[in-house]
Amino acid sequence: MPALFRPAPLFLIVSYLLLSAMPFFPLLLGQAVEKPWHLLAMELVSWLGFWALLQRPRWFHYLLLPAFFAVPTEIYLRLYFGQGISTHHLGIMVETSPKEAMEFLGNKIWLLLFIVVAMTGWWWSLLRIAQQNAGWHWRHWSRWLVLALIATGALLFFYGDQIGVATKPASTSNSGSASASEEEDDEEDEEDDEASASTSASASVSASVNTSASASANTLAVWRKALKKHLPPLPYWAQIPYDDDTFIRTWPFGLVLRATDFWNERDYLARLSEKSRDFHFQAHLDGNPELPQTVVMVIGESSRFDRWSLNGYERDTNPLLKQESNLVSFSDMVTAVSATRLSVPIIVSRKPAAQSLKAGFSEKSFITAFKEAGFKTYWLSNQMSFGQFDTPTSVFAKEADVTQFLNLGGFTNNSNLDQVLLAPMSIALRDATPKKLIVLHTLGNHWNYSHRHPASYDQWKPSLFGIVNPAYTDLKNKQALNNSYDNSILYTDWILSEMIKRLKTSQQITSLFYVSDHGQTLYDGSCNLAFHGHNTQYEFHVPAFIWYSDAYQERFPDKIDELRKHQKSRLSTENVFHSLLDMANIRYPDEKMEWSVLNKKLKAHTRYVDSYGWTDYDNATFKGDCREVMDKKTPLAQEK
């Protein structure tokens, strides 16, 4: 035993303890750690199982190499963005080319090389110790006991996860009532049935990419349902306190789960992309391909029509945009769904609004149409690249010649402000290619609103600026929440004006189309709803405008005439795709000019919104202070 605590073996075990201490790094910054004892217990059990299974550090130390290299990244993200390595960060690291990395790091490349050498040296020195010292080799019979206990725990967890866990009886008086476990089982059975129905409903849309996987999933669901009817639930006292959300935060073992999540998201992205892999618009440019022209598409986030002074709001939230004479703000633009992952595909492609709840689409986006017409394309994003809410958008972003996701902080208080997009935009404008499309996906006015702007834009007070974790569900903060939202609109005004300023000085034919993906509900009047994901007019009615340069107006005067005529037309985000291609004078065989706001053929269409089914927005009433959208007839049924 004393040999275990000599300098070399002690250095080995302390190093492993330091790896496992990474989830507790926030404590050094004065921040709390969620479920610390649960986290610590999971790490202890993981180490015991890992060590017992592989027995000797000399055998498993090789597997720890990725964790050693991940340490500097984890510390950097914790220090500057308040979070650890996530699926999104792995995506950025994998997708970033060496050239982009060099441009980003600049002179810091030498610091990076030093860190790489230092981490390699640390890992190598531990490997030598593990090879030369047998003190930490687990030969005792207790190794088998540990493995047996962990295997038993794994079997109990699997049983409880699949069959269910009985709840602890509160008292004998309610012992005859149905247990929460049984109610959950019934709900899960319904979900299994819904999953089967969803699979069959989407079979006609999907090109049988996952036929075997879907069949396997359905078979497992049937077996699981049958077993539940014949097997009792696991006793409550035997439940294993494991959950993925906690385990994924452990070090170094949680990194495996994060890598698995990343791989699954990559696979999901590939499957979505497969649906449109062979699609072509057969688009071409109607005009001189050498004439310098740049089209900018800005996708806003959570911005609300009636909070823009450009649209009549009493507060001056658009002091800069209102000075632009070549700007046409649309008074009646509607989005079909109040969720980014569902609304953005409608904006960037020809996906019908009534199909927005279905995953994937059989066509590509306007990015591919621009590429076919000879444009160099950019997708510059201040949003996330991977995850449940982001991967569907990334499917289209990957079509671009240049794709950059610049937000390392997610939607936290440490996320980048939208001004991070301005420098890459300027670089794109300087590209020698005569024809360019630049898509800018902003973080816009997403909650927490006070984190979407610098202190200099904290104009209306009281606000939430500087408040850590404000109680957004407390109606006492209603005024501060609304003030912070307006401040974020004020900052968006500056961002958009800066983009326009860059286009004005580019000496090219330029134009810019802005539209928000959805709006926000903000405790309006007596309405007790906030944020988005509801079915209110505040979330469906979004701000949108087109700005054009003088050179663009000289080149396309007829388009500008039609644009101004249609300023008050009934529009939806389904119009964006067709209008953007018409803006660039791109033509394709099955084009629909009756959907373009720049064309004399524009016609009104039924505008469906996601409210108790597909509700006809123009044949609806707006209920109460929440202005809930209610169809006067029966909404169309939705396919998911």
Side-chain angles (χ1 to χ4, degrees):
M1 182 62 70
L4 297 179
F5 296 98
R6 290 175 181 172
L10 190 60
F11 178 52
L12 177 74
I13 200 66
V14 168
S15 295
Y16 288 167
L17 287 173
L18 286 174
L19 277 183
S20 292
M22 292 307 299
F24 300 93
F25 186 81
L27 295 174
L28 298 178
L29 306 177
Q31 302 168 358
V33 174
E34 186 179 358
K35 298 182 179 179
W37 295 109
H38 193 188
L39 188 65
L40 191 61
M42 280 193 173
E43 290 195 335
L44 178 60
V45 172
S46 298
W47 270 114
L48 286 172
F50 188 61
W51 213 307
L53 182 65
L54 298 177
Q55 192 178 9
R56 303 182 179 187
R58 63 180 298 178
W59 291 348
F60 65 70
H61 188 70
Y62 292 98
L63 299 176
L64 297 176
L65 179 59
F68 278 85
F69 283 120
V71 167
T73 302
E74 179 81 6
I75 293 175
Y76 173 78
L77 292 172
R78 290 285 181 189
L79 282 173
Y80 295 102
F81 298 97
Q83 57 184 286
I85 297 171
S86 69
T87 302
H88 169 62
H89 301 124
L90 291 174
I92 290 178
M93 287 186 278
V94 170
E95 300 294 334
T96 302
S97 67
K99 180 180 178 182
E100 291 171 343
M102 291 288 288
E103 290 175 350
F104 174 76
L105 292 169
N107 293 331
K108 295 179 182 178
I109 187 66
W110 300 109
L111 176 61
L112 176 63
L113 290 174
F114 172 77
I115 292 173
V116 170
V117 171
M119 299 310 296
T120 303
W122 184 19
W123 177 85
W124 180 259
S125 64
L126 294 175
L127 176 63
R128 298 292 295 170
I129 293 171
Q131 291 174 336
Q132 296 172 4
N133 291 270
W136 288 107
H137 294 180
W138 198 342
R139 302 186 184 93
H140 195 263
W141 61 267
S142 58
R143 169 173 170 256
W144 297 104
L145 177 61
V146 168
L147 288 174
L149 289 173
I150 290 177
T152 302
L155 288 173
L156 289 173
F157 173 79
F158 181 77
Y159 186 96
D161 185 58
Q162 296 299 312
I163 306 302
V165 181
T167 55
K168 183 178 181 179
S171 65
T172 55
S173 61
N174 61 6
S175 60
S177 63
S179 70
S181 169
E182 291 169 348
E183 293 174 4
E184 289 173 2
D185 289 347
D186 292 339
E187 292 175 0
E188 288 170 356
D189 290 343
E190 292 174 4
E191 289 173 1
D192 291 339
D193 294 339
E194 289 174 2
S196 300
S198 175
T199 301
S200 58
S202 62
S204 58
V205 180
S206 151
S208 68
V209 179
N210 292 314
T211 303
S212 60
S214 299
S216 300
N218 287 336
T219 302
L220 287 173
V222 171
W223 275 100
R224 179 186 181 197
K225 193 172 181 180
L227 288 172
K228 283 183 180 180
K229 293 179 179 179
H230 297 89
L231 295 174
L234 185 73
Y236 69 89
W237 48 264
Q239 183 178 10
I240 303 300
Y242 169 87
D243 65 87
D244 285 346
D245 291 339
T246 301
F247 185 77
I248 202 171
R249 294 189 293 120
T250 65
W251 262 74
F253 308 102
L255 293 175
V256 176
L257 206 56
R258 296 179 221 187
T260 302
D261 282 351
F262 169 68
W263 179 265
N264 290 337
E265 288 297 332
R266 290 266 294 186
D267 181 61
Y268 178 48
L269 179 63
R271 285 187 279 117
L272 291 178
S273 300
E274 184 67 20
K275 293 184 178 182
S276 61
R277 181 171 58 87
D278 298 323
F279 180 82
H280 298 283
F281 290 99
Q282 298 180 345
H284 66 278
L285 179 69
D286 184 8
N288 181 4
E290 299 302 320
L291 186 66
Q293 179 183 9
T294 296
V295 176
V296 174
M297 178 70 222
V298 183
I299 303 174
E301 167 70 55
S302 302
S303 204
R304 182 167 143 168
F305 175 85
D306 65 349
R307 291 304 182 93
W308 287 46
S309 59
L310 204 61
N311 301 323
Y313 187 41
E314 62 271 15
R315 282 181 171 174
D316 194 10
T317 53
N318 302 120
L320 300 174
L321 290 180
K322 73 178 182 182
Q323 299 175 27
E324 298 294 340
S325 58
N326 290 2
L327 187 151
V328 177
S329 179
F330 300 112
S331 62
D332 197 3
M333 175 72 78
V334 169
T335 185
V337 193
S338 58
T340 300
R341 67 187 177 90
L342 302 175
S343 60
V344 170
I346 300 174
I347 293 173
V348 302
S349 73
R350 295 191 294 188
K351 187 175 188 177
Q355 290 185 24
S356 60
L357 303 186
K358 295 181 179 180
F361 187 47
S362 59
E363 295 185 5
K364 293 183 178 179
S365 73
F366 56 62
I367 294 174
T368 291
F370 271 82
K371 288 173 68 175
E372 291 177 3
F375 281 68
K376 183 171 183 179
T377 56
Y378 295 79
W379 185 286
L380 309 175
S381 176
N382 193 27
Q383 296 222 4
M384 308 284 276
S385 58
F386 286 104
Q388 177 185 358
F389 305 108
D390 306 288
T391 302
T393 300
S394 296
V395 172
F396 299 110
K398 298 299 180 184
E399 295 176 25
D401 296 306
V402 178
T403 305
Q404 292 182 357
F405 289 91
L406 304 166
N407 186 354
L408 293 177
F411 297 97
T412 69
N413 57 339
N414 293 302
S415 59
N416 292 321
L417 299 175
D418 280 334
Q419 63 197 56
V420 73
L421 296 168
L422 296 178
M425 177 188 176
S426 296
I427 293 173
L429 286 172
R430 292 195 295 269
D431 191 289
T433 307
K435 300 288 185 181
K436 293 181 284 290
L437 167 71
I438 305 173
V439 182
L440 300 163
H441 195 185
T442 67
L443 205 51
N445 314 110
H446 193 285
W447 172 261
N448 181 337
Y449 314 128
S450 64
H451 296 161
R452 303 295 158 247
H453 62 82
S456 57
Y457 283 82
D458 190 33
Q459 178 168 324
W460 291 287
K461 299 176 181 178
S463 72
L464 300 176
F465 194 86
I467 299 176
V468 179
N469 298 323
Y472 56 84
T473 56
D474 188 346
L475 289 176
K476 293 180 181 178
N477 287 327
K478 176 178 176 178
Q479 182 184 12
L481 181 144
N482 275 269
N483 286 339
S484 287
Y485 185 79
D486 288 348
N487 291 334
S488 73
I489 299 289
L490 183 66
Y491 176 70
T492 295
D493 175 73
W494 177 78
I495 287 292
L496 291 169
S497 67
E498 284 295 308
M499 293 174 181
I500 291 173
K501 184 186 298 183
R502 282 160 172 74
L503 294 179
K504 284 181 177 179
T505 59
S506 68
Q507 305 301 315
Q508 304 174 27
I509 296 174
T510 56
S511 54
L512 180 148
F513 198 141
Y514 169 88
V515 66
S516 182
D517 58 355
H518 56 76
Q520 293 277 275
T521 305
L522 297 166
Y523 296 130
D524 301 275
S526 61
C527 181
N528 289 328
L529 298 177
F531 311 122
H532 62 272
H534 311 109
N535 56 343
T536 71
Q537 185 187 30
Y538 301 119
E539 297 179 29
F540 294 134
H541 190 191
V542 294
F545 69 80
I546 287 178
W547 173 90
Y548 53 88
S549 65
D550 293 336
Y552 184 93
Q553 184 173 21
E554 291 175 9
R555 185 72 179 179
F556 303 108
D558 293 341
K559 293 184 188 295
I560 299 304
D561 290 342
E562 296 302 324
L563 170 64
R564 293 199 170 275
K565 288 179 185 178
H566 299 143
Q567 183 174 5
K568 297 182 180 180
S569 296
R570 292 179 175 180
L571 306 171
S572 79
T573 51
E574 290 177 284
N575 291 100
V576 175
F577 176 95
H578 308 277
S579 302
L580 198 68
L581 265 67
D582 191 14
M583 178 189 289
N585 224 32
I586 293 174
R587 300 287 172 256
Y588 51 102
D590 57 341
E591 62 187 10
K592 295 181 179 180
M593 289 303 179
E594 63 270 24
W595 289 76
S596 171
V597 296
L598 296 99
N599 200 282
K600 62 182 179 181
K601 296 181 180 179
L602 177 70
K603 294 180 181 179
H605 64 279
T606 303
R607 300 189 294 177
Y608 290 113
V609 296
D610 178 22
S611 183
Y612 301 108
W614 290 119
T615 289
D616 183 349
Y617 183 84
D618 298 306
N619 188 41
T621 57
F622 305 107
K623 180 181 176 182
D625 283 353
C626 289
R627 297 192 66 78
E628 191 177 16
V629 181
M630 311 293 292
D631 203 317
K632 294 178 182 178
K633 297 182 179 180
T634 302
L636 297 180
Q638 295 176 327
E639 294 183 31
K640 299 182 180 180

